[in-house]
Amino acid sequence: MQTHTPQLAMITLDCADPEPVSRFWSELLGWQRVYLDENAAMLQGPDQAIGFGRVANYAAPVWPNERGSKQFHFDVAVDDISAAAQYCIELGAHRPVEQPGDTWVVLIDPAGHPFCLTDAANW
């Protein structure tokens, strides 16, 4: 018999190097990086955590999904998509040519994970 409801404690993303991708997400979300070594990093948010783990021979997801899968993506709600995109690029993200919609912007984090900036008013 289960005595409590399981809770998702952390989502962990594979990467080649946890330092730059954890720095990127820490600065973007304003979350504290509470752990970092050469093989792993962890960010703590208000209610959840994101981990990053080094994987030998890591292959970044592909965007667009022509030759594989993006594996996952974050939707990040922002007040000003253009300003947020510029900030993300300054932090180390890049904007791929392929943009499938006009109400969000797809960017790629420093480890190659695609994510979307969406209008906070739509959430």
Side-chain angles (χ1 to χ4, degrees):
M1 175 191 277
Q2 191 168 336
T3 60
H4 71 281
T5 302
Q7 296 180 340
L8 179 63
M10 180 168 66
I11 296 171
T12 301
L13 308 178
D14 293 348
C15 60
D17 182 354
E19 195 286 323
V21 69
S22 66
R23 178 176 10 95
F24 171 83
W25 285 106
S26 173
E27 291 181 21
L28 178 63
L29 298 175
W31 291 9
Q32 182 179 3
R33 186 164 51 184
V34 295
Y35 183 81
L36 175 66
D37 69 21
E38 66 183 24
N39 293 309
M42 185 174 102
L43 307 181
Q44 183 61 57
D47 298 313
Q48 58 283 108
I50 302 172
F52 303 90
R54 182 184 302 272
V55 172
N57 303 313
Y58 170 74
V62 177
W63 178 262
N65 292 337
E66 295 170 355
R67 297 169 301 183
S69 171
K70 63 184 173 192
Q71 301 171 9
F72 84 97
H73 74 275
F74 290 136
D75 289 319
V76 180
V78 297
D79 292 326
D80 182 332
I81 294 174
S82 295
Q86 182 57 41
Y87 180 60
C88 290
I89 291 166
E90 290 169 9
L91 293 176
H94 72 273
R95 183 176 180 155
V97 173
E98 178 71 25
Q99 295 290 321
D102 56 2
T103 60
W104 67 89
V105 170
V106 176
L107 296 172
I108 310 295
D109 79 9
H113 305 113
F115 65 99
C116 295
L117 299 177
T118 66
D119 188 340
N122 294 333
W123 292 88

